[in-house]
Amino acid sequence: MKLIIPVFLLLIFCSELNAQQGSKIKLKNVSVSEIKLATIFLFGKEYTARQRNLLLKEILSSRFYDPNFKMEVNFQEFISNKKFNFIHKGPTEIIINSSKLSNRNLFVTYHGASDIETPNKEKINSFVEKVKAVYIDSSRKGILKSKELKKDILIINSEINQQSLNKKKKYFDSDSPFQKEIKLDRIDDYINKLERRKKRIEKKSNRIPLIQIKILTR
């Protein structure tokens, strides 16, 4: 009987040891980084973006601040697996760890005093490997500023229309051809000034980023 008890305890110990070793093997074989797909938070909701790193490389290599900038991302919802495309045209603001990325940055190499630029692939690749999360959202500041400028454009358009009506009215009300010419020239000059101002505001409005990309590396 004395011999049976130690043997029984030994069997229990061995079974627990095997269970622990089995658990260790399972845990060791699980790689979270391989299982978890790259994601992007779009307007507050998380989506799968398999080509996220490639997208980031393309954005950092581009003139993301240019009005002609275009971004296209393929997304997939977690639950429904529904696929869709997100397309954005226009300048984009990039925030990296709370700091705004300027137009001239370390991800681009400039050659001498010229405007010729080439992507710094080494720095871009190194940076992308450190990315923890990516958020694409509307730029609140950009939207408010854009609305403000659009109001200014509407006011200018209204004034141009009014002056055009005044131009016709004064032309018919005036009896002297000489006076007609003076009045018409003055109105035309004023309308031209309004048109030039309108173009400046439109150009400024086109440069305002309406989309903001936040990149976190920590």
Side-chain angles (χ1 to χ4, degrees):
M1 186 67 181
K2 293 182 180 179
L3 182 62
I4 295 175
I5 294 175
V7 171
F8 180 70
L9 293 176
L10 180 62
L11 289 173
I12 294 175
F13 176 77
C14 290
S15 63
E16 290 181 352
L17 182 61
N18 289 333
Q20 290 177 359
Q21 288 177 344
S23 298
K24 288 182 179 179
I25 290 173
K26 290 180 182 178
L27 291 174
K28 188 175 181 181
N29 289 339
V30 172
S31 177
V32 177
S33 61
E34 290 178 1
I35 293 175
K36 183 172 175 60
L37 297 173
T39 63
I40 290 179
F41 290 86
L42 178 65
F43 303 126
K45 189 174 181 180
E46 189 175 16
Y47 293 91
T48 300
R50 296 177 182 274
Q51 301 296 323
R52 188 192 72 178
N53 288 354
L54 178 61
L55 172 68
L56 291 176
K57 290 178 183 180
E58 291 178 350
I59 292 174
L60 295 174
S61 301
S62 69
R63 296 170 65 89
F64 56 87
Y65 49 85
D66 194 283
N68 296 320
F69 173 75
K70 181 179 179 180
M71 175 177 61
E72 184 172 355
V73 193
N74 295 320
F75 284 116
Q76 180 175 318
E77 293 182 351
F78 273 120
I79 300 175
S80 66
N81 291 327
K82 182 180 178 181
K83 297 179 180 180
F84 68 97
N85 292 337
F86 171 74
I87 300 175
H88 167 69
K89 296 180 181 179
T92 301
E93 185 179 52
I94 297 179
I95 308 293
I96 299 178
N97 297 329
S98 302
S99 297
K100 181 180 177 180
L101 187 66
S102 63
N103 298 352
R104 298 178 71 90
N105 54 75
L106 297 175
F107 299 118
V108 180
T109 301
Y110 295 87
H111 302 275
S114 65
D115 291 332
I116 299 175
E117 55 187 59
T118 55
N120 190 323
K121 294 183 179 180
E122 184 178 349
K123 288 187 177 180
I124 291 175
N125 291 336
S126 176
F127 171 78
V128 169
E129 293 299 323
K130 301 175 184 177
V131 172
K132 302 296 183 183
V134 179
Y135 297 81
I136 299 178
D137 210 337
S138 301
S139 173
R140 183 182 180 88
K141 183 179 178 181
I143 290 175
L144 292 176
K145 187 63 178 177
S146 180
K147 286 183 178 179
E148 181 182 335
L149 293 178
K150 285 180 179 179
K151 287 182 180 179
D152 291 341
I153 292 173
L154 289 175
I155 292 172
I156 292 174
N157 282 336
S158 178
E159 181 66 14
I160 290 173
N161 292 334
Q162 183 61 48
Q163 291 302 319
S164 297
L165 291 175
N166 292 340
K167 179 180 176 181
K168 293 179 181 179
K169 182 179 178 181
K170 289 184 178 180
Y171 178 81
F172 288 111
D173 289 348
S174 179
D175 295 328
S176 171
F178 181 70
Q179 288 181 348
K180 287 181 182 180
E181 185 176 350
I182 293 176
K183 290 178 180 179
L184 289 177
D185 286 345
R186 288 177 180 175
I187 294 176
D188 285 339
D189 287 343
Y190 182 52
I191 291 176
N192 289 335
K193 288 180 180 179
L194 291 173
E195 290 286 0
R196 288 194 295 270
R197 184 184 174 190
K198 177 184 171 182
K199 287 182 179 179
R200 288 195 298 268
I201 294 176
E202 288 176 337
K203 189 175 181 180
K204 185 177 180 180
S205 178
N206 291 334
R207 292 198 300 264
I208 295 177
L210 300 179
I211 291 293
Q212 185 182 79
I213 300 177
K214 290 184 178 180
I215 303 174
L216 303 181
T217 60
R218 56 175 182 266

